[in-house]
Amino acid sequence: METLLQIFYLYTTTPIVPVVIIGVAWGIVGGALPGISPSITMALLLPFTYALDPTSAVVLLASTYVGAEYGGSVPAILINTPGTNAAAATTIDGYAMKLKGKASDALGISLYSGVIGGIIGFLMLFLLTEPLVRVALLFTPPAYFALGLLGLSVIASLSGGSLIKSLAAALIGLMIATVGTDPISGVSRFTFGESDLLSGIKPILIMVGVFAVSELFAQSSAGAWVKAGADAAKVRFPNAKLRRRLLKPQLIGSGIGTFEGVMPGAGGTVAAFMSYNEARRWSSNKEEFGQGSPEGIAAPEAANNTVACTALVPMLSFGIPGSNATAVLLGGFLIHGLRPGPQLFQESSDVIFGLYGGLAISPFILLGLGMLLLPLCIWMVNRPKPYLMAFIYALIFSGVYSIHQSTFDLVIVLIAGVGGYFMRLFKMPFLPLVLGLVLGYMVESNYRRSLVLSGDDHGIFLRDPISLGFLILAVVFVLGSLFSPLLSRLWSGKGKKQES
Amino acid sequence: MRDVVGGLVLLVFAVGYYLQSTGIARSTLNDTVGAHGVPQAFAICLGALALLLLVKAGLALVVRGPAPDLDAEMWIVQGVDPGDVGRQAADAASTPVADEVATLSRSILRMLGMLGIGVVYILLLPWLGYALTLFLLIGAVVLYQGGHAGRVLFLVMSGAAVFFWLIFVKALGIPLPAGAWTTWL
């Protein structure tokens, strides 16, 4: 009750409501552009958050995430090109409905399900975060070190593709985090005599470079985007009968979204596809899936909008971002000298209440803006790609320069962009890199602090029960990801034998 | 093949980083791990991973031969149309390695062009000032990406320069460079 009163107080005394409106609007428009993921949409905003107070900055980024998850479904339905990775599952039935002349209905189902997912996601965030924070209050330096390792191991094992490449990406992030002044002795490391590097490389610069600039570089050799017809520039909400039918897939989507959001590394894309499959499994209209089923849109959209909130649970409780978008949000916290975790709830509770307040109203603002901004989204998608790219490049340069009025920052962003481009080339995931970058300080400083406390006895990490638990979990995750292909191969081999 | 190159790049990076870490100053405030300890451990781990990647990629080359990746274009651009995945995979499977290399080279050259535009922007910014450099940036990117030169482009360049200047300099109050040329006036 006290929390609710605090949130209402913030609505009346701070600019949270207009900030959420701006964030959701920016998210919808950014998410609607093919290739511009929620994390890129948020990264483009990061430089602007410097000028804001911490609460507004964090609320702006979080509401952008909410808007972008819906925005991604607009091109998925209209031009069969998902604006975000998580919206890829929506293309299957969304575009099929569009081909049947039901684009407005598909957009309505997507928006309605996104709002339901957002509301459930917020409730889950509210209910799950505080109990976890109470656990996190018991953490000691060894536990924090082990937590950092756990975060890295989970992401490395879940980020898909090659475990070696994921671990390598995480290590590169950790290496970048060592640039600057040593946390214990104060000597400078890898600064090459540059005074700009003494305070380290700001995660925001790497994030903008890796997510946004590398995307521009990659898009420069990609073909033009498909045009969307202006005939579908309206949203038609489902009627009562259809709303009843959509309830089951929405609950399936939100349930899976809650679980996947809380699990670091899984994210909205996995949740959306899992929800689609489960909705089909439990549907009484299975044959409609793939042919334009409303349930095939409702489940993934509810799932990825739930994830937009529940992905914040591990980030707020432990300071471990579980997805690219939450990593960028973490960057927003760090810009203002705030480190998510149990201390944040004690020292800057106003920011947490503000974030809750922003996320509580964002589904309702999404509902209004989702309808209002649809023509703008279609107009944007139909602009010539060279002009859009030019504007995004200009926005990146202007925003980054604004942070410290430093051309050195622009150089770092370009270098990070080239690095991100080659990471795409070598199929290395970004998330482990960003995690290594933001967790690097926590891992190193707590490791060395623990050793100072224990007189160089590494046994401290095994004697501390929380640390031991995290380390065991980290080993389980890494071994699990190493052996899971083998196990699944054995399993499928067994299945084939039984079938034959 | 790509993993071999990637493994080599990672190995070179790990070695370079390790060598650089040996030059970190020793301080009397150091703990037993030292300012160089953790970076060196990271470098060794990355080196080991790079070697693992090289061995894995080398074995794959020996066993399967240099096959083109099924998703020659997809790796580079996010937001791929999943409806086209099967078609692209089928197309790529029939693409010879030489074609894949040519596609990659073209992509990298395009990237270098965009990078070059960015570098020129950074170099010109202190001299020409924010508004003028941004005007040129918009024009350069549009033309580089295949847009047409003409009155529309000139109007967009001018409008964008004014729009960004109004937002950043006037609305947000950020002191962006006016340009060295303004001192000559």
Side-chain angles (χ1 to χ4, degrees):
Chain A
M1 191 64 197
E2 196 185 323
T3 309
L4 288 176
L5 286 175
Q6 186 78 25
I7 290 171
F8 279 116
Y9 174 74
L10 286 169
Y11 284 147
T12 53
T13 56
T14 62
I16 285 182
V17 178
V19 164
V20 173
I21 293 172
I22 294 169
V24 171
W26 174 255
I28 292 172
V29 174
L33 294 175
I36 308 296
S37 62
S39 47
I40 296 173
T41 312
M42 292 163 74
L44 287 170
L45 266 190
L46 268 180
F48 295 92
T49 61
Y50 265 90
L52 301 174
D53 64 274
T55 307
S56 300
V58 168
V59 170
L60 182 70
L61 291 171
S63 50
T64 299
Y65 187 14
V66 172
E69 286 295 359
Y70 163 70
S73 72
V74 175
I77 290 167
L78 297 182
I79 58 173
N80 200 23
T81 303
T84 62
N85 291 336
T90 309
T91 56
I92 304 168
D93 282 292
Y95 190 63
M97 279 187 81
K98 192 253 177 186
L99 292 178
K100 290 178 176 175
K102 294 180 178 173
S104 301
D105 298 279
L107 288 164
I109 293 166
S110 165
L111 181 57
Y112 171 64
S113 304
V115 170
I116 298 288
I119 293 169
I120 295 176
F122 168 71
L123 291 174
M124 290 296 142
L125 169 74
F126 190 72
L127 293 173
L128 294 175
T129 306
E130 292 212 36
L132 285 174
V133 165
R134 275 195 281 276
V135 175
L137 279 170
L138 305 171
F139 288 6
T140 51
Y144 271 112
F145 164 71
L147 177 67
L149 283 192
L150 174 65
L152 290 169
S153 69
V154 170
I155 299 306
S157 60
L158 284 174
S159 44
S162 161
L163 176 63
I164 298 175
K165 289 178 188 174
S166 298
L167 289 173
L171 274 168
I172 293 171
L174 289 167
M175 288 165 149
I176 296 170
T178 61
V179 174
T181 307
D182 176 50
I184 304 289
S185 66
V187 299
S188 58
R189 302 186 294 190
F190 309 106
T191 54
F192 306 100
E194 277 287 341
S195 58
D196 288 303
L197 287 175
L198 279 175
S199 56
I201 295 176
K202 304 278 179 297
I204 176 184
L205 303 177
I206 301 295
M207 286 183 199
V208 173
V210 162
F211 288 119
V213 177
S214 78
E215 178 66 35
L216 269 187
F217 287 167
Q219 287 286 347
S220 72
S221 55
W225 296 327
V226 182
K227 301 264 182 209
D231 53 318
K234 61 180 179 187
V235 172
R236 190 178 301 131
F237 273 94
N239 58 28
K241 189 181 168 197
L242 184 55
R243 282 203 300 272
R244 276 196 299 278
R245 183 182 160 188
L246 296 178
L247 190 62
K248 191 161 76 175
Q250 284 166 344
L251 290 177
I252 289 173
S254 292
I256 292 173
T258 301
F259 179 74
E260 294 294 330
V262 173
M263 285 294 292
T269 313
V270 179
F273 277 102
M274 276 180 71
S275 305
Y276 183 86
N277 281 334
E278 290 309 309
R280 183 170 53 185
R281 190 200 305 270
W282 296 100
S283 171
S284 46
N285 305 294
K286 285 189 186 69
E287 70 289 346
E288 281 185 29
F289 277 75
Q291 312 295 321
S293 165
E295 294 159 79
I297 300 171
E301 282 303 309
N304 61 39
N305 280 278
T306 303
V307 170
C309 288
T310 53
L312 302 184
V313 174
M315 204 272 279
L316 290 176
S317 322
F318 303 132
I320 305 280
S323 64
N324 288 334
T326 47
V328 177
L329 182 59
L330 177 62
F333 275 97
L334 295 177
I335 282 171
H336 290 277
L338 304 169
R339 183 162 275 281
Q343 266 70 38
L344 187 69
F345 279 74
Q346 293 178 327
E347 292 161 9
S348 306
S349 58
D350 54 324
V351 177
I352 299 294
F353 288 134
L355 182 61
Y356 283 169
L359 286 171
I361 56 169
S362 58
F364 304 102
I365 288 174
L366 176 67
L367 191 63
L369 290 180
M371 288 188 285
L372 279 175
L373 294 180
L374 184 63
L376 177 66
C377 291
I378 293 172
W379 183 83
M380 288 281 284
V381 171
N382 287 343
R383 287 313 90 207
K385 193 175 151 192
Y387 285 90
L388 279 176
M389 289 183 65
F391 270 79
I392 293 174
Y393 217 11
L395 187 64
I396 291 169
F397 277 134
S398 307
V400 170
Y401 187 86
S402 306
I403 300 170
H404 296 122
Q405 289 83 52
S406 158
T407 47
F408 187 80
D409 285 356
L410 295 179
V411 174
I412 296 284
V413 164
L414 277 186
I415 292 172
V418 174
Y421 178 86
F422 281 102
M423 283 180 73
R424 288 167 191 263
L425 190 72
F426 297 126
K427 297 182 184 174
M428 288 174 83
F430 291 156
L431 185 55
L433 173 103
V434 175
L435 268 171
L437 184 67
V438 296
L439 295 179
Y441 179 84
M442 180 170 107
V443 169
E444 184 181 3
S445 61
N446 283 297
Y447 169 68
R448 289 168 64 185
R449 209 164 286 151
S450 305
L451 288 184
V452 170
L453 286 173
S454 68
D456 294 327
D457 177 12
H458 279 82
I460 191 171
F461 299 112
L462 303 178
R463 282 194 297 275
D464 185 295
I466 299 174
S467 164
L468 179 65
F470 284 150
L471 289 176
I472 290 172
L473 268 178
V475 171
V476 167
F477 276 124
V478 172
L479 289 180
S481 64
L482 274 175
F483 290 110
S484 65
L486 189 70
L487 287 174
S488 61
R489 213 172 297 159
L490 280 174
W491 186 256
S492 63
K494 210 175 169 183
K496 274 177 195 164
K497 263 184 195 169
Q498 279 174 351
E499 275 172 32
S500 66
Chain B
M1 192 62 196
R2 198 176 298 164
D3 282 355
V4 175
V5 179
L8 284 172
V9 171
L10 287 176
L11 190 62
V12 169
F13 181 73
V15 171
Y17 181 87
Y18 184 90
L19 291 176
Q20 194 63 37
S21 72
T22 56
I24 293 172
R26 304 292 194 263
S27 163
T28 49
L29 294 172
N30 257 348
D31 51 341
T32 47
V33 176
H36 59 284
V38 171
Q40 285 182 354
F42 288 158
I44 291 167
C45 289
L46 186 65
L49 285 174
L51 287 174
L52 260 177
L53 190 61
L54 281 171
V55 170
K56 202 176 153 207
L59 281 175
L61 274 178
V62 171
V63 174
R64 289 200 303 262
D69 275 344
L70 288 182
D71 49 353
E73 279 288 305
M74 279 171 53
W75 52 266
I76 204 159
V77 182
Q78 290 180 337
V80 180
D81 174 358
D84 287 344
V85 170
R87 186 178 48 75
Q88 286 193 11
D91 288 350
S94 60
T95 308
V97 177
D99 281 1
E100 194 205 348
V101 171
T103 307
L104 288 182
S105 310
R106 252 195 322 273
S107 300
I108 292 171
L109 280 175
R110 297 285 307 165
M111 180 276 286
L112 289 175
M114 284 292 281
L115 176 68
I117 292 172
V119 171
V120 171
Y121 174 88
I122 295 171
L123 293 174
L124 290 180
L125 185 63
W127 299 98
L128 297 184
Y130 174 66
L132 203 51
T133 323
L134 197 95
F135 171 86
L136 295 174
L137 174 77
I138 299 276
V141 174
V142 170
L143 291 175
Y144 184 70
Q145 290 300 323
H148 300 294
R151 208 173 50 182
V152 173
L153 176 60
F154 183 79
L155 285 173
V156 171
M157 289 162 68
S158 312
V162 173
F163 175 73
F164 276 94
W165 183 81
L166 282 175
I167 287 194
F168 283 91
V169 180
K170 288 292 163 190
L172 297 175
I174 293 159
L176 288 154
W181 62 274
T182 53
T183 58
W184 306 331
L185 296 176

